[in-house]
């Protein structure tokens, strides 16, 4: 972050300054544990704790100014809403940065794959700032924006949509040069009236493009391609006919071997020679993420062959996303437990089969949250898929996911092929009874279920 004064922060937020005007802020944090010397500490409201309770701790850690909604004993700017004020700071900061540098702003959305695609882009683009973990909301996006400085050439932002209007708000903070839409799926289905409403929410990222911007769209998804009409310019990626296309895909031990072709798009003056590469990430579903990252990288000025090489060379991304661990006892753990949707669970099942290469497979499935009225049918679909894909044992955890167990039985699972446990502790006990050397176990669920903790235990215990 380029240093800003307390007076500047008060001005752009419309807040009341209770601090010397020349106090200088060099970073921003919303967690007192992550405060660096010279930071602005943003006291946010929370379900379990109020950020104002940690103002003193933030000061001890080096915060020189605090953004608050009530008077505190330390230098501060008092505002009506700290979340909105954080957005205002990021909006003004980026506008000033754009006026003095050639920064390129990229936004990524999609029901699945945002964080992975972000991580791939961070590896392929020089002088880039990208989100930490999954900073994709009204708090995480401004914090990412404020990490940019005069040396940043590309700012990559994740944009989540847990409801209508959210992406519009995010693009009001950071208008986009490039808007990438990966897919329209069932994530957060319970927060929308219909599937079409989900698509409309994702479309907001295309509507947030600058007049000179470009939409990078998944040609394999009809709902995504329908967004093209709202874009100043369009570049497509996909496994069919597209500007950046995977013309051949072959799976080898869980990794995709692809041939990528590219037409005359982005910074390229002519069509390039097709490139072959083996993706370092596990799972066929990462082909889509890789193609998206390659297309965006080319739009940001990276040579096509370099983009393919660097994207393919990524072997790990943000934690608990297709993370493979070979334990000393011979058990293989596939941890994809950070979050889940129907589409990502099915993709994880397929990756489990690819990684196991004929050995015994165990899928630990927790609830997919925020599915609303479709929760029962969605989980039932996953039970059927597990049987059809011939997963050796499906372990269903928690009442919310139980329809997956019930449907697996109805689909033809028998004996111990499908097991149900009510709690994570019960799942741990069961796994210690049934897992053995040579088995591959997958952990998959929404983050809020806590299944990720079980996955972490099985990864670390080995």
């Amino acid at each position: 972050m380029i240093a800003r004064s307390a007076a500047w922060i008060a001005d752009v937020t419309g807040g009341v300054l209770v601090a010397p005007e020349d106090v200088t802020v060099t970073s921003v944090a919303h967690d007192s544990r992550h405060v660096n010397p010279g930071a602005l500490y943003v006291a946010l409201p929370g379900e379990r704790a109020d950020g104002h309770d940690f103002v003193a701790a933030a000061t001890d850690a080096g915060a020189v100014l605090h953004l608050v909604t009530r008077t505190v004993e330390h230098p501060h700017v008092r505002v009506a809403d700290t979340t909105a004020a954080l957005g205002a700071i990021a909006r003004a900061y980026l506008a000033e940065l754009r006026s003095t540098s050639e920064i390129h702003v990229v936004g990524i959305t999609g029901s699945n794959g945002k964080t992975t695609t972000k991580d791939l882009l961070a590896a392929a683009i020089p002088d880039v700032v990208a989100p930490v973990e999954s900073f994709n909301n009204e708090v995480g996006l401004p914090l990412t924006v404020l990490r940019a400085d005069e040396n940043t050439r590309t700012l990559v932002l994740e944009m989540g949509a847990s409801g209508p209007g959210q992406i519009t708000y995010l693009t009001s903070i950071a208008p986009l040069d490039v808007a990438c839409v990966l897919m329209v799926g069932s994530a957060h289905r319970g927060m929308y009236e219909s599937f079409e409403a989900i698509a409309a929410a994702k479309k907001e990222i295309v509507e947030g493009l600058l007049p000179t911007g470009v939409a990078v769209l998944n040609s394999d998804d009809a709902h995504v391609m329908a967004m093209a009409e709202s874009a100043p310019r369009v570049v497509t990626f996909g496994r069919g006919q597209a500007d950046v296309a995977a013309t051949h895909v072959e799976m080898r031990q869980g990794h995709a071997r692809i041939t990528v072709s590219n037409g005359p798009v982005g910074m390229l003056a002519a069509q390039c020679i097709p490139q072959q590469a083996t993706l370092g990430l596990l799972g066929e579903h990462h082909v889509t993420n890789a193609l998206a990252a390659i297309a965006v990288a080319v739009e940001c000025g990276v040579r096509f062959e370099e983009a393919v090489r660097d994207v393919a060379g990524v072997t790990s991304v943000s934690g608990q996303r297709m993370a493979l661990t070979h334990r000393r006892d011979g058990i293989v753990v596939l941890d994809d437990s950070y979050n889940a949707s129907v589409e990502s669970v099915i993709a994880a099942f397929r990756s489990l089969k690819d990684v196991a290469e004929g050995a015994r497979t165990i899928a630990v499935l927790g609830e997919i949250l925020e599915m609303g009225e479709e929760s029962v049918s969605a989980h039932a679909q996953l039970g059927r898929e597990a049987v059809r894909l011939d997963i050796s044992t499906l372990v269903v955890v928690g009442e919310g996911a139980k329809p997956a167990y019930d449907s697996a039985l109805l689909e033809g699972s028998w004996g111990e092929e499908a097991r149900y446990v009510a709690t994570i502790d019960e799942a741990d006990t069961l796994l210690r009874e049934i897992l053995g050397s040579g088995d591959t176990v997958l952990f998959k669920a929404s983050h809020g279920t806590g299944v990720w903790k079980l996955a972490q235990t099985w990864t670390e215990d080995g």
Side-chain angles (χ1 to χ4, degrees):
M1 179 185 183
I2 301 172
R4 288 291 184 266
S5 69
W8 181 88
I9 290 171
D11 181 53
V12 300
T13 60
V16 176
L17 179 62
V18 185
E21 290 189 0
D22 60 353
V23 168
T24 300
V25 169
T26 56
S27 64
V28 180
H30 73 305
D31 187 326
S32 61
R33 296 167 297 182
H34 299 155
V35 165
N36 294 317
L40 167 69
Y41 171 67
V42 183
L44 297 173
E47 294 181 2
R48 298 182 180 86
D50 185 340
H52 293 79
D53 296 337
F54 301 94
V55 166
T59 300
D60 291 342
V64 295
L65 188 68
H66 302 82
L67 191 65
V68 296
T69 58
R70 60 176 184 263
T71 300
V72 295
E73 296 181 354
H74 303 274
H76 63 272
V77 174
R78 190 173 68 252
V79 296
D81 183 325
T82 50
T83 302
L86 175 61
I89 293 169
R91 184 181 294 110
Y93 180 82
L94 181 57
E96 291 186 5
L97 192 58
R98 268 187 155 135
S99 70
T100 58
S101 69
E102 296 181 359
I103 191 170
H104 211 59
V105 183
V106 176
I108 303 170
T109 197
S111 299
N112 297 306
K114 295 185 294 296
T115 300
T116 297
T117 303
K118 171 264 297 185
D119 289 338
L120 294 174
L121 273 175
I125 300 177
D127 303 320
V128 64
V129 167
V132 176
E133 298 178 346
S134 294
F135 273 27
N136 62 15
N137 60 13
E138 66 276 9
V139 174
L141 182 138
L143 290 173
T144 303
V145 168
L146 292 166
R147 287 175 42 227
D149 60 24
E150 65 274 17
N151 297 314
T152 305
R153 290 295 167 262
T154 305
L155 175 62
V156 177
L157 301 170
E158 282 189 57
M159 296 187 170
S162 58
Q166 183 172 9
I167 290 181
T168 296
Y169 173 70
L170 298 178
T171 59
S172 76
I173 296 172
L176 301 173
D177 298 292
V178 181
C180 177
V181 187
L182 298 169
M183 66 170 295
V184 176
S186 61
H188 307 295
R189 177 66 181 86
M191 297 184 177
Y192 295 92
E193 294 182 355
S194 64
F195 194 86
E196 289 68 28
I198 299 175
K202 302 298 184 189
K203 183 181 177 183
E204 292 173 11
I205 196 172
V206 177
E207 296 167 341
L209 280 166
L210 292 168
T212 55
V214 57
V216 178
L217 304 178
N218 182 355
S219 63
D220 299 328
D221 189 317
H223 286 92
V224 173
M225 285 306 298
M227 303 175 190
E229 63 185 21
S230 300
R233 182 166 66 89
V234 174
V235 168
T236 59
F237 63 91
R239 295 176 63 166
Q241 187 171 358
D243 296 311
V244 176
T247 57
H248 177 75
V249 178
E250 177 185 353
M251 296 305 296
R252 298 179 180 179
Q253 297 180 317
H255 296 271
R257 172 78 173 171
I258 62 175
T259 300
V260 189
S261 64
N262 188 67
V265 298
M267 304 297 289
L268 303 173
Q271 186 168 340
C272 291
I273 298 172
Q275 301 290 304
Q276 289 187 335
T278 299
L279 300 185
L281 298 181
L282 284 167
E284 186 174 357
H285 58 291
H286 284 311
V287 172
T288 297
N289 301 329
L291 293 173
I294 292 166
V296 172
V298 169
E299 282 298 316
C300 293
V302 179
R303 290 176 58 84
F304 172 62
E305 59 272 22
E306 293 175 356
V308 174
R309 179 198 66 203
D310 292 344
V311 166
V314 176
T315 58
S316 63
V317 289
S318 297
Q320 297 182 308
R321 293 171 175 85
M322 281 293 152
L324 190 67
T325 301
H326 292 266
R327 291 165 46 116
R328 291 187 298 271
D329 58 9
I331 296 171
V332 179
V333 177
L334 185 58
D335 181 4
D336 199 36
S337 62
Y338 184 82
N339 221 330
S341 66
V342 171
E343 296 84 0
S344 69
V345 171
I346 294 172
F349 284 169
R350 291 172 178 162
S351 297
L352 172 62
K353 295 290 292 184
D354 288 339
V355 170
E357 294 189 296
R360 199 163 75 110
T361 52
I362 296 86
V364 180
L365 176 65
E367 184 180 359
I368 304 174
L369 302 173
E370 299 177 350
M371 291 299 294
E373 295 179 353
E374 295 189 4
S375 180
V376 171
S377 61
H379 288 91
Q381 177 187 351
L382 296 177
R384 292 190 294 270
E385 289 289 343
V387 175
R388 293 168 185 174
L389 289 170
D390 198 25
I391 302 297
S392 305
T393 301
L394 175 67
V395 178
V396 178
V397 185
E399 184 65 28
K402 192 171 183 291
Y405 168 74
D406 296 333
S407 69
L409 295 181
L410 291 172
E411 187 67 19
S413 178
W414 55 275
E416 296 186 349
E417 291 177 343
R419 308 285 291 270
Y420 171 74
V421 293
T423 67
I424 289 174
D425 287 342
E426 290 177 32
D428 187 40
T429 298
L430 176 61
L431 291 176
R432 295 185 187 281
E433 294 174 359
I434 67 175
L435 285 178
S437 180
D439 293 343
T440 302
V441 56
L442 164 73
F443 293 91
K444 187 69 175 172
S446 287
H447 196 265
T449 66
V451 168
W452 65 270
K453 298 176 184 177
L454 180 60
Q456 189 175 66
T457 295
W458 276 85
T459 299
E460 294 175 350
D461 281 358

